[in-house]
Amino acid sequence: MSVEAPGEATIEDATGGVRSYSVRTFGCQMNVHDSERIAGLLEDAGYVAAVDGDDADLVVFNTCAVRENADNKLYGNLSHLAPVKADRPGMQIAVGGCLAQKDKDTVRKRAPWVDVVFGTHNIGSLPVLLERARHNDEAQVEILDSLERFPSTLPARRDSAYSGWVSVSVGCNNTCTFCIVPSLRGKEVDRRPGDVLAEVQALVDQGVLEVTLLGQNVNAYGQSFADPETPRNRGAFADLLRACGTIEGLERVRFTSPHPAEFTDDVIAAMAETPNICPQLHMPLQSGSDRVLRAMRRSYRRTKFLGILDRVREAMPHAAITTDIIVGFPGETEEDFAETLDVVEKARFSSAFTFQYSPRPGTPAATMPDQVPPEVVTERYQRLIALQERICLEGNTALVGTEAELLVVADEGRKSSSTGRMTGRARDGRLVHFRADSRSQVEPGGIRPGDLVTAVITDAAPHHLIADAGVLTHRRTRAGDAHEAGTLPTTPPVGVGLGMPSIGAQPVPESTSACGTGGCS
């Protein structure tokens, strides 16, 4: 490593060239956002992104521990890289994220060629651990039991020119019996509202049009502020949504995921009354059986869940509501599963993330009696999929003939050489494959990811819509300019750690410090 001024160091490979990196991400949106932080750290340390991931001098796996196949996928990838690493002196492999936090010793036993193992609480240590492993020619394993600072206090290299993730909190205070996340991410700690808004503003200043607020339970935001000078506020999340509505240039705001037990009417009102909050809500059901919900320690029941959906649709009739459902939780009977199907029929979800239950070591559900036989789980799963596919198609078909505003996206859908279709995401989150014909109102230079178009829906499928009648309007955006130029946003560290001032901490810009009356500062 060459020694230069801070922020200007370069990491050299075995031939004296700049070392390249590739980050491979498994799991949820939180992991995707953490990978942006990992990329930002590595680039600050002098690495450059690899064009081809397999040819990278450093491969980082950011892992998930929620489902069993995540383990298999990781170790399959590590086995693939073992001979590659053997043939490339100086190549390094690092494993981080939730699986590393849970199984730090197992990773090294099953893949002794891994150079660094780090956890969810010490992402910022990665560059130092890599250099120590290289200098000492010895693997480095460092897992911390608690978070030292918010990931937002780390630099980030963003994945998209037009859409960005912003964490409002880390960790979770719930005790769902099937979930291992609280033991890996820790108790919930909330960022100061001014810090969240400053990060949103930093993205918008670089042309980003759409922001998604992230948290394991976003609507619990405001009850666990790390900063002792920020008062506890049950209405803080609704205040935060309204404050996002005051940021000029921010056209779309989404959030994920809330918890039904703590979802309140002030959040519904803020969504309905704030123009840039998208009419989309992800509301995890998990099961439609009250008996199973109790066994899961989900502190709501089916009646409350359906009541939330009714109030959301009363305030926003065209809102798209998505969900998570687990099939085959221990002790689930045919009657329990029938109740889930009944809720799904009543709820009319626009889409559902459905999972066949698999035991995760370290969770209470893994040792519960009456584990459902795999063949029964699979059969129920297929019935649920068939029902939800029908509901999705019916919901999408009802939109044929309506007009939609689309944020043009890259790599999320398909562009057919025969039809010339591109893909956009509607304000309610649905994917729309659209075509611009000779009559379309397209600005000179063509349509780019990051631009905004409007089109009429002409056909429907369960998981997407079609708009083949041409584009009605096209607006070129700064995000489209950035995508065309190959420029991605990079955000500097935002905030002051876990609420405690640090030397050299940057003040929050005044223009982003207000958040209604909810104690934002």
Side-chain angles (χ1 to χ4, degrees):
M1 178 177 180
S2 59
V3 180
E4 303 179 24
E8 298 179 358
T10 58
I11 303 293
E12 296 179 351
D13 63 15
T15 64
V18 178
R19 288 177 63 81
S20 61
Y21 75 90
S22 172
V23 182
R24 304 184 186 182
T25 309
F26 306 99
C28 66
Q29 297 97 327
M30 196 71 73
N31 271 19
V32 173
H33 184 40
D34 283 350
S35 290
E36 293 182 329
R37 301 288 177 190
I38 290 170
L41 281 164
L42 294 173
E43 296 200 358
D44 260 19
Y47 292 81
V48 297
V51 176
D52 184 336
D54 280 348
D55 290 335
D57 299 303
L58 165 66
V59 178
V60 182
F61 291 93
N62 190 13
T63 64
C64 170
V66 172
R67 302 183 71 194
E68 185 175 8
N69 65 0
D71 303 43
N72 300 332
K73 195 168 185 179
L74 169 67
Y75 292 114
N77 276 271
L78 289 175
S79 296
H80 168 76
L81 282 181
V84 178
K85 186 174 189 289
D87 291 338
R88 295 191 60 195
M91 181 183 178
Q92 289 186 297
I93 300 172
V95 177
C98 290
L99 188 66
Q101 184 78 25
K102 181 174 76 77
D103 294 338
K104 62 177 180 179
D105 297 326
T106 304
V107 173
R108 283 283 301 153
K109 287 178 182 177
R110 293 186 61 174
W113 54 92
V114 168
D115 299 278
V116 170
V117 180
F118 64 105
T120 57
H121 299 316
N122 64 321
I123 291 173
S125 301
L126 178 58
V128 171
L129 294 172
L130 289 166
E131 182 57 25
R132 190 183 300 160
R134 186 183 302 112
H135 181 271
N136 296 345
D137 193 23
E138 182 179 65
Q140 301 295 309
V141 178
E142 182 176 288
I143 305 292
L144 301 183
D145 292 330
S146 60
L147 195 69
E148 292 186 332
R149 54 177 175 167
F150 282 118
S152 58
T153 62
L154 306 173
R157 178 187 182 273
R158 304 293 179 152
D159 286 340
S160 168
Y162 47 83
S163 182
W165 309 101
V166 175
S167 292
V168 303
S169 62
V170 293
C172 182
N173 290 338
N174 292 313
T175 58
C176 303
T177 55
F178 57 81
C179 185
I180 199 169
V181 168
S183 66
L184 303 179
R185 294 275 182 176
K187 290 291 186 181
E188 181 176 328
V189 185
D190 299 334
R191 297 175 66 190
R192 300 186 305 182
D195 292 347
V196 175
L197 294 171
E199 186 174 344
V200 173
Q201 184 70 59
L203 288 169
V204 173
D205 288 345
Q206 296 177 75
V208 169
L209 299 175
E210 177 182 87
V211 162
T212 300
L213 305 177
L214 285 179
Q216 301 295 152
N217 180 7
V218 292
N219 54 306
Y221 178 75
Q223 301 188 52
S224 304
F225 284 126
D227 183 357
E229 296 183 4
T230 303
R232 186 173 183 269
N233 172 21
R234 292 185 63 85
F237 188 65
D239 292 340
L240 188 64
L241 292 178
R242 293 183 188 277
C244 285
T246 68
I247 297 178
E248 186 175 353
L250 179 59
E251 303 203 20
R252 297 183 175 192
V253 179
R254 308 183 193 277
F255 60 88
T256 194
S257 292
H259 192 291
E262 297 170 294
F263 196 76
T264 51
D265 288 348
D266 62 341
V267 173
I268 298 174
M271 293 178 67
E273 296 164 8
T274 309
N276 64 357
I277 307 298
C278 291
Q280 176 190 9
L281 179 64
H282 185 73
M283 184 62 65
L285 170 64
Q286 307 302 2
S287 175
S289 161
D290 287 350
R291 193 185 69 81
V292 173
L293 288 172
R294 281 192 293 271
M296 289 179 168
R297 290 188 199 152
R298 301 286 287 179
S299 48
Y300 58 89
R301 300 295 174 256
R302 54 182 284 145
T303 300
K304 177 171 183 172
F305 184 92
L306 290 170
I308 291 171
L309 271 52
D310 289 342
R311 294 196 299 278
V312 169
R313 288 182 170 131
E314 182 179 359
M316 295 171 286
H318 302 297
I321 301 175
T322 59
T323 197
D324 297 332
I325 301 172
I326 297 172
V327 178
F329 186 80
E332 181 190 74
T333 65
E334 182 61 29
E335 291 74 20
D336 293 324
F337 180 66
E339 291 183 352
T340 294
L341 295 180
D342 180 61
V343 172
V344 170
E345 186 75 68
K346 289 181 169 69
R348 313 298 294 176
F349 298 115
S350 62
S351 68
F353 298 91
T354 53
F355 306 93
Q356 298 185 52
Y357 174 78
S358 60
R360 303 307 293 139
T363 64
T367 58
M368 285 182 176
D370 301 323
Q371 300 284 325
V372 182
E375 63 274 13
V376 174
V377 177
T378 299
E379 189 274 334
R380 289 176 184 170
Y381 179 77
Q382 294 301 327
R383 277 191 281 156
L384 173 62
I385 291 294
L387 171 61
Q388 185 57 48
E389 292 270 306
R390 173 177 64 78
I391 292 170
C392 287
L393 182 58
E394 290 171 355
N396 284 352
T397 300
L399 296 174
V400 172
T402 63
E403 184 178 313
E405 178 199 75
L406 310 176
L407 174 59
V408 184
V409 299
D411 302 325
E412 288 192 59
R414 61 188 180 192
K415 180 175 181 180
S416 168
S417 58
S418 60
T419 64
R421 286 182 183 138
M422 299 180 70
T423 299
R425 192 170 287 277
R427 290 186 59 81
D428 65 5
R430 287 180 167 92
L431 283 178
V432 181
H433 303 306
F434 68 93
R435 181 172 58 188
D437 61 17
S438 59
R439 300 164 296 170
S440 296
Q441 303 299 310
V442 176
E443 294 292 323
I447 300 172
R448 301 91 41 94
D451 286 351
L452 288 161
V453 302
T454 57
V456 173
I457 305 304
T458 58
D459 202 358
H463 304 295
H464 66 266
L465 298 164
I466 298 292
D468 272 351
V471 168
L472 300 177
T473 65
H474 169 217
R475 173 156 60 93
R476 291 170 71 85
T477 66
R478 287 197 300 139
D481 295 340
H483 182 89
E484 188 173 40
T487 303
L488 293 172
T490 56
T491 48
V494 176
V496 290
L498 291 177
M500 301 303 294
S502 60
I503 297 173
Q506 297 298 310
V508 175
E510 290 185 7
S511 62
T512 63
S513 62
C515 179
T517 59
C520 302
S521 59

